[in-house]
Amino acid sequence: MTADARSPLSPTVRTSSSLDLSATPRVTVRPVPHGLVTINAGFWSNRFRAVAQHGLSTQLTHCQSTGRLENFSRSATGQPFEFEGYRFNDSDVYKWLEAASYALAQHADDALEQAVNAVVELVAAAQQADGYLNTYVSSGSTERYANLTDDHELYCMGHLIQAGIAHRRSLGSERLFNVALRAANHICAEFGPHDRTEPDGHPEIELALVELTRETGDQRYAEQALFFLDQRGTTPPQLSGESVIQDHAPVRSQHEVVGHAVRQVYLAAAMVDVAMETDDTSLLAASAKLWESTYERKAYVTGGLGARYQGESFGADFELPNTRAYAETCAAVAGVMWNARLLAATGKVRHADWLERTLYNGALVGISIDGTKYFYSNPLGVDSTPQPGDDRGANSSVLQQTQTGHARQSWYPCACCPPNIARLITSIAGYAYGQSDNTVWIHQYLASQVTMPVSESGAITLDVQTRYPWDGTVDVVVTSAPSHEIELRLRIPEWACNARLHVNDKPVSVTPGSYAGIRRTWNPGTRLQLTLPMNVRLVEAHPRVQENRGRVALVRGPLVFCLESEDHPNIDLDAIGIASNTSFASTFDEDLLGGLIKLEATGVLLAPKTNHALYQTASPQSHRGPVRLTAIPYFAWANRTPRAMRVWLPLVTQ
Ligand SMILES: [Zn+2]
């Protein structure tokens, strides 16, 4: 890549966005397109650059070397061929195109744009005359729509449609968009009440079709998405009827998240999308019920989703194992997408809070600091030596990870996660701001400038400076504003007790877990300063989370921290406990892993486990002593030698 690291990430196409709700009828807060936001410094600028300058090029190399691109070029011949890889590998190429399009909207890069154009031509050439596109089927491996439960054809074309929309919005090109449109028209012609009626075993097409309605203004695509939603859980079932693919009940009657986590969350997100476009309140209510099931009983402290290896699935309520957490990176990305849609639909701060928690922890852990290595599953504890039998139910990608002691991998046989986290990070600015009538919302605190048209008479421009999440100070300057009242709403996270807000040095009262709203006619130069507390919090889990009874996680701001054995040589991490009155030193170490905050404290070294019988009569711990502990942000673990790691530590009574 040739991106110039010195120049700011300035938007070249002002409308680039992953979610365009500008004309959506039932919406509370419209997200501001990331094309209107300039990220010029800070935490997310570094993550964006890692993906744009290194991640995307290495991902493309893997798409080439693993036959993913070759599958397209061989499909274009019209002759049968030997297909390489998994049947759904087309989707990785589409997600790469989506991520690369967003990156190019933020930062011109000739080499990347040429690569995108070349891949677009490969994709276009592989499309069949009626708009159908799937290289696995084109290879002759199976027939069209022979097995919608497993073959992922609509899933793949869904990602094609999302890539086509992203390419058009980001680069103004019709080339890939027309391919996507033809695919969507084919699907609408093929599936309907009087034609094929089965939904896809892996939801995704629904999200894509709704976004296509937003892009074209043609309601037919959203209606097609609604049709697919209503084909799940029919009697008799049209797929397998199993809960692992959410085919066990009609979507409006599904009140608990079950089965494959990524599929479930894409489905729940699509329910919100369709609800917003069609004003179907029952769909929104059903998705909100699923949200409560997820984030009140089945989510990790990191925002990670999916407890079980088997079926890559959600577990029972409060079933949240640490070392055997599945928590696929894609599920966290899906969680961000779901919360963003619920936030738009309802304006409820809890969705912005969980979106933040997931972004900084459960999703970001899925990509290395340098942007070129990935995690598929994301455990919250890892032992130095993998235990025999620990891989039960793991697919080949997770096996590849666990058998290397959870070393980050540059690619996976099933490579859904790398381009998924890439498309999230390259569109990250789209999650920061929102708009409603004469109201501007700041959901996430990113160092950035944003100009938002707020009325026919003008726009408001905000300059946000912050080192968040390393530092809790957020400075917002209104650099231009129309001459009428506008309400500015700033999110006060639920964890931010003692948060303070000043407007031109005058205090404004705020409440954690809400938006602080200030309505006035804004004079250019007005300064707001939000100070969020960055004390270390000892967070406990619900007592029904069996593995975490008597344990706490270290959390500072939005960041969950962890211990790595790299920082504790010759010490069993299980022997490190923490007292409730521990004081922590937070230090920014610019030489550690690209620069990050580390926590240091005196912990409690518990009785050594040597000579401890499997069972013995309990006695007061007599061998306790002090131990220096160092914690780093969870997202940054395994960027050094992969060894042991712990998020949850025993809470010790002094
Ligand atoms: Zn994945």
Side-chain angles (χ1 to χ4, degrees), residues 95 262 328-331 376 414-418 420:
K95 277 187 280 187
V262 179
E328 183 182 341
T329 298
C330 281
Y376 191 106
C414 171
C416 49
C417 299
N420 218 358

Side-chain angles (χ1 to χ4, degrees), residues 156-203:
C156 287
M157 282 191 274
H159 278 301
L160 166 64
I161 293 166
Q162 290 189 316
I165 295 169
H167 192 239
R168 187 193 209 206
R169 288 179 183 168
S170 302
L171 299 168
S173 169
E174 300 293 323
R175 182 62 169 148
L176 186 61
F177 181 72
N178 283 335
V179 176
L181 202 57
R182 291 178 61 209
N185 290 339
H186 156 77
I187 290 166
C188 290
E190 191 80 12
F191 291 85
H194 307 296
D195 304 293
R196 288 183 178 276
T197 56
E198 316 98 290
D200 196 280
H202 197 312

Side-chain angles (χ1 to χ4, degrees), residues 92 95 155 260 262 266 312 326 328-331 333 375-377 395 414-421:
D92 302 327
K95 277 187 280 187
Y155 166 84
H260 192 280
V262 179
Y266 279 171
E312 308 186 297
Y326 198 75
E328 183 182 341
T329 298
C330 281
V333 172
F375 272 150
Y376 191 106
S377 79
N395 67 16
C414 171
C416 49
C417 299
N420 218 358
I421 187 68

Side-chain angles (χ1 to χ4, degrees), residues 600-618:
E600 292 173 295
T602 300
V604 179
L605 187 63
L606 304 172
K609 289 186 174 179
T610 52
N611 302 325
H612 198 296
L614 179 58
Y615 302 104
Q616 65 184 38
T617 303

Side-chain angles (χ1 to χ4, degrees), residues 103-287:
L104 288 168
Q106 292 283 326
H107 197 127
D109 180 333
D110 290 343
L112 179 60
E113 188 163 353
Q114 286 174 16
V116 166
N117 291 339
V119 175
V120 166
E121 292 309 317
L122 282 179
V123 171
Q127 189 167 37
Q128 297 188 8
D130 64 352
Y132 180 86
L133 210 176
N134 184 282
T135 68
Y136 179 68
V137 172
S138 293
S139 73
S141 301
T142 188
E143 300 293 319
R144 277 189 194 188
Y145 306 127
N147 179 3
L148 275 160
T149 298
D150 299 319
D151 281 350
H152 293 53
E153 291 154 274
L154 298 180
Y155 166 84
C156 287
M157 282 191 274
H159 278 301
L160 166 64
I161 293 166
Q162 290 189 316
I165 295 169
H167 192 239
R168 187 193 209 206
R169 288 179 183 168
S170 302
L171 299 168
S173 169
E174 300 293 323
R175 182 62 169 148
L176 186 61
F177 181 72
N178 283 335
V179 176
L181 202 57
R182 291 178 61 209
N185 290 339
H186 156 77
I187 290 166
C188 290
E190 191 80 12
F191 291 85
H194 307 296
D195 304 293
R196 288 183 178 276
T197 56
E198 316 98 290
D200 196 280
H202 197 312
E204 156 60 31
I205 185 64
E206 299 85 355
L207 291 162
L209 288 169
V210 174
E211 203 61 33
L212 190 58
T213 280
R214 294 169 182 152
E215 185 63 12
T216 61
D218 189 338
Q219 195 67 18
R220 186 169 48 119
Y221 303 115
E223 289 167 1
Q224 186 70 38
L226 175 60
F227 175 79
F228 281 135
L229 289 181
D230 282 335
Q231 301 315 303
R232 307 192 91 82
T234 56
T235 306
Q238 302 190 63
L239 299 175
S240 67
E242 295 173 302
S243 59
V244 70
I245 57 170
Q246 295 81 37
D247 191 35
H248 57 295
V251 292
R252 290 174 180 77
S253 303
Q254 295 182 15
H255 302 312
E256 178 190 4
V257 286
V258 292
H260 192 280
V262 179
R263 300 181 196 215
Q264 172 70 88
V265 180
Y266 279 171
L267 181 68
M271 290 161 68
V272 186
D273 261 340
V274 172
M276 287 193 288
E277 291 303 322
T278 63
D279 204 17
D280 187 329
T281 53
S282 65
L283 269 181
L284 181 60
S287 189

Side-chain angles (χ1 to χ4, degrees), residues 1 3-4 8-13 16-18 34-35 37 39 47-57 95-110 112-113 116 166-167 169-171 422-429:
M1 300 300 153
D4 181 359
L9 302 172
S10 53
T12 54
V13 176
S16 182
S17 63
S18 60
H34 59 81
V37 184
I39 298 179
R47 270 73 211 166
F48 183 99
R49 287 184 194 285
V51 172
Q53 296 176 358
H54 306 293
L56 290 173
S57 60
K95 277 187 280 187
W96 181 86
L97 282 169
E98 185 181 347
S101 296
Y102 296 148
L104 288 168
Q106 292 283 326
H107 197 127
D109 180 333
D110 290 343
L112 179 60
E113 188 163 353
V116 166
H167 192 239
R169 288 179 183 168
S170 302
L171 299 168
R423 70 178 180 146
L424 176 66
I425 290 177
T426 52
S427 59
I428 192 74

